[in-house]
Amino acid sequence: MLSLWNEVSQKQNDIPHFHLLIDGCWKCLSSGEYQDVINPATGEVIARVPLANQQDVENAITAAYRFFQTLVFDPLERIEIMLRASDILKTSREEMAKTIVLESGKPISIALSEVDATIERLHLVLEEVRVLYGEYLPGEWVKDTRGKFAIVKRRPLGVVAAIAPFNYPLFIGAAKIIPALLAGNTVVVKPASDTPLSLILFVRILEKAGIPAGSIHVITGSGKEIGDTLVTHSLVRAISFTGSTAVGEHIARLAGMKRLHLELGGKAAALVFKDADIRTTAALLCKGAFRNSGQRCDAVSRVLVEEKVADTLLEALREESQHYFCGDPMDPKTPMGTVINEGAAKRLDALLEDAKNHGASFLAEKKRTGLFYPPHILEINTECRLAWEEIFGPILPVIRVKNEKEAIELANQSEYGLDSCVFTQDIDRAFRVAEKLHDGSITINSIPAHGVGHFPFGGNKRSGIGREGIKYSIDELTELHTIIVSLKEEK
Ligand code: NAP
Ligand code: MG
């Protein structure tokens, strides 16, 4: 068994049983029940994690609140812990990447980049948190504040509930935990049930780096069963959630007066115009649609191509797609692994079936083997579900449009508003179109890629509330605290 695994799990019937971390204790679990973690590539049970119940959630939140109130977690100490955590993560790079592969079925090359991105994020947040100063505001400029001044500080909120999805199981969870802790909050984190292991190991790394017991707690178990307790608890001040729009909207309905940071579904359109560099565009679009088997909120999820270049683009896409094929996820040369589970694969099957029934023509069509889902490219019309629904799988639908106006209209008709991208060599067109699109980020001549979060990202419409990103996540997880001073006139 891998070495970090040994520190947070125990073998029973030859299967590692992981622990939760509540109030500094790795074994406290009231229910005694576990759920399986399955390797999507082999179908094997690789580990089991605790099925936390409401009482466990309650215990974690109360302990996190108690710790927050003690206010003893010094900023310099936080920075040093994160630096040590980054060193430990570097030495555990291979083990962490293998864990991600085992639980998610993604190829090792992508898992290694995920670990590297987490290490980089740790460092970049450290730079930002040091400039968390606030403002000094003189009152002289307005009649009723004359003789006063204000100091506007940023301070932590308190207990943050961090809920992570399966697709980047380490990075997305860590990108919530790191700024939350550095800004002085305490955290209760819930990983996705399909992929809980890498985030548990990350919390273990924080603990080894010296994070005080009580500042972070990790609970595993069904979101359906324990989610409501987590998001409605009166001691939780903020919810940082990344996941589906359905669950995000459910949380928004229940949460009441809490800070909400919701990163939800996406339906990125790629608008390709007749003056685009078609060969480069096709290569980028395949990467955008098929990397991580399309299981990315920022995946290219529909191509809107000007009629005049549609045939050329389709042919170029067909050729480029040959570089994407499924293979052993542990092999460094494998470009694509599996999709996450049978439910996800069946949803993709149904989307393709629906497209067939609506007369779609397929350019690349191969059968899936288990959860190994090969890339699909197809030309569709707007009657198809694929034109509007989030795909989250390796399927690239292409729609022909007459002109710029139609492309913009179709792009903006989506209920999502996370990302889009524009391919053209005409600088006027590029900016004109980018101004008109409704998404949180518009990328010109490349595909959406949130990367380590140097640029802010987040969605409009049903794609969410708030912005992720190195500085931006800190803003989301702190509140403004204004101290106003009234100066007496000299006698
Ligand atoms: P999901 O099914 O919504 O699950 C996300 C997390 O929410 C999991 O930890 C899940 O736990 C938990 N959860 C489920 N029901 C809950 C409830 N009632 N209350 C509280 N938490 C609950 O999403 P996913 O399938 O893991 O991830 C795919 C989705 O994430 C896609 O829609 C994708 O677009 C979105 N995503 C968005 C971004 C972004 O930045 N905008 C980035 C990545 C992914 P269980 O696993 O136990 O159900
Ligand atoms: Mg799920």
Side-chain angles (χ1 to χ4, degrees):
M1 197 164 39
L2 303 158
S3 72
L4 276 172
W5 283 42
N6 285 327
E7 298 175 18
V8 284
S9 71
Q10 248 167 351
K11 276 204 171 171
Q12 283 174 38
N13 303 328
D14 233 25
I15 297 175
H17 283 56
F18 277 67
H19 310 305
L20 309 158
L21 178 64
I22 297 177
D23 206 7
C25 166
W26 277 101
K27 286 183 195 163
C28 314
L29 171 66
S30 23
S31 73
E33 288 175 45
Y34 286 81
Q35 64 185 6
D36 293 342
V37 182
I38 292 167
N39 177 347
T42 61
E44 277 168 333
V45 176
I46 48 168
R48 309 191 78 210
V49 292
L51 259 179
N53 61 22
Q54 267 92 351
Q55 190 56 52
D56 299 315
V57 178
E58 175 75 38
N59 293 346
I61 295 171
T62 323
Y65 182 70
R66 201 182 334 111
F67 184 82
F68 179 72
Q69 283 189 310
T70 63
L71 289 176
V72 289
F73 194 10
D74 178 66
L76 280 182
E77 196 189 334
R78 287 178 227 152
I79 290 201
E80 275 169 18
I81 289 166
M82 291 300 169
L83 283 171
R84 280 199 294 273
S86 142
D87 289 341
I88 303 172
L89 186 53
K90 268 183 216 155
T91 57
S92 314
R93 180 174 181 264
E94 301 285 324
E95 176 176 0
M96 192 59 109
K98 278 185 186 153
T99 304
I100 294 173
V101 174
L102 286 175
E103 64 183 353
S104 73
K106 70 172 67 174
I108 186 87
S109 57
I110 297 184
L112 283 166
S113 341
E114 184 173 347
V115 179
D116 294 340
T118 309
I119 295 168
E120 199 180 347
R121 181 79 180 228
L122 266 162
H123 284 271
L124 292 169
V125 181
L126 290 176
E127 286 173 26
E128 280 301 329
V129 81
R130 277 207 160 108
V131 291
L132 199 89
Y133 298 141
E135 275 182 299
Y136 162 83
L137 294 179
E140 281 87 52
W141 300 97
V142 173
K143 219 189 286 173
D144 66 27
T145 49
R146 266 183 155 166
K148 295 178 182 169
F149 67 88
I151 299 165
V152 184
K153 295 171 60 178
R154 279 212 166 264
R155 58 175 202 178
L157 294 164
V159 180
V160 173
I163 305 175
F166 77 83
N167 60 331
Y168 286 89
L170 169 67
F171 179 81
I172 294 179
K176 297 181 182 308
I177 295 171
I178 301 164
L181 288 175
L182 274 170
N185 299 287
T186 55
V187 177
V188 177
V189 60
K190 194 204 106 48
S193 292
D194 283 315
T195 56
L197 307 180
S198 47
L199 208 50
I200 298 178
L201 298 189
F202 182 69
V203 173
R204 172 63 184 152
I205 287 175
L206 290 175
E207 197 189 34
K208 281 162 83 94
I211 203 100
S215 55
I216 182 148
H217 312 260
V218 55
I219 47 173
T220 49
S222 152
K224 243 191 193 146
E225 299 298 321
I226 54 173
D228 289 3
T229 311
L230 186 59
V231 302
T232 56
H233 200 290
S234 60
L235 297 180
V236 170
R237 283 289 317 282
I239 299 161
S240 179
F241 170 85
T242 301
S244 60
T245 293
V247 175
E249 286 180 337
H250 171 79
I251 291 174
R253 277 192 293 273
L254 290 188
M257 300 295 278
K258 296 187 194 314
R259 183 72 65 87
L260 281 184
H261 185 198
L262 306 176
E263 295 290 346
L264 312 178
K267 183 73 190 162
L271 290 74
V272 182
F273 295 105
K274 59 178 186 250
D275 46 27
D277 171 348
I278 296 295
R279 174 58 58 187
T280 315
T281 303
L284 285 165
L285 292 178
C286 284
K287 185 174 175 199
F290 305 139
R291 190 174 157 81
N292 205 28
S293 295
Q295 300 172 115
R296 301 192 338 269
C297 56
D298 58 3
V300 173
S301 186
R302 53 197 168 130
V303 175
L304 306 173
V305 58
E306 224 175 343
E307 258 164 4
K308 278 195 179 137
V309 287
D311 289 336
T312 324
L313 180 74
L314 283 164
E315 181 49 28
L317 286 172
R318 198 189 53 72
E319 278 172 31
E320 286 297 333
S321 69
Q322 322 268 335
H323 301 303
Y324 294 86
F325 50 87
C326 303
D328 174 7
M330 285 295 180
D331 182 339
K333 291 196 206 77
T334 293
M336 286 171 72
T338 67
V339 295
I340 191 67
N341 55 34
E342 188 57 30
K346 287 210 168 108
R347 199 178 46 77
L348 297 173
D349 294 344
L351 286 171
L352 291 174
E353 191 56 36
D354 168 80
K356 242 180 216 162
N357 295 338
H358 285 93
S361 51
F362 286 68
L363 261 91
E365 191 192 10
K366 288 199 185 106
K367 287 243 168 326
R368 70 174 167 109
T369 314
L371 300 180
F372 289 93
Y373 217 108
H376 284 73
I377 302 172
L378 61 169
E379 195 185 334
I380 61 161
N381 57 42
T382 54
E383 302 293 308
C384 298
R385 289 173 58 193
L386 276 172
W388 306 109
E389 292 183 25
E390 183 177 43
I391 301 175
F392 234 63
I395 300 176
L396 183 60
V398 180
I399 300 172
R400 286 176 202 248
V401 293
K402 285 195 286 296
N403 50 31
E404 187 178 310
K405 184 166 172 285
E406 192 187 358
I408 295 169
E409 270 168 17
L410 271 181
N412 284 341
Q413 267 173 34
S414 170
E415 59 185 13
Y416 295 105
L418 188 61
D419 280 291
S420 53
C421 50
V422 184
F423 291 88
T424 174
Q425 297 297 313
D426 175 344
I427 191 164
D428 295 315
R429 193 205 292 265
F431 279 97
R432 191 167 61 227
V433 174
E435 285 289 337
K436 287 184 184 156
L437 290 170
H438 294 168
D439 308 284
S441 316
I442 290 103
T443 305
I444 297 172
N445 286 330
S446 194
I447 46 173
H450 297 164
V452 292
H454 184 50
F455 301 141
F457 72 86
N460 302 330
K461 302 196 273 187
R462 295 186 70 202
S463 287
I465 301 173
R467 291 294 180 265
E468 260 280 6
I470 289 149
K471 166 187 181 301
Y472 302 89
S473 299
I474 298 175
D475 287 352
E476 298 281 350
L477 296 172
T478 49
E479 65 190 2
L480 295 181
H481 187 66
T482 309
I483 299 170
I484 299 156
V485 181
S486 179
L487 293 179
K488 271 199 185 133
E489 294 273 323
E490 206 178 343
K491 283 188 186 146

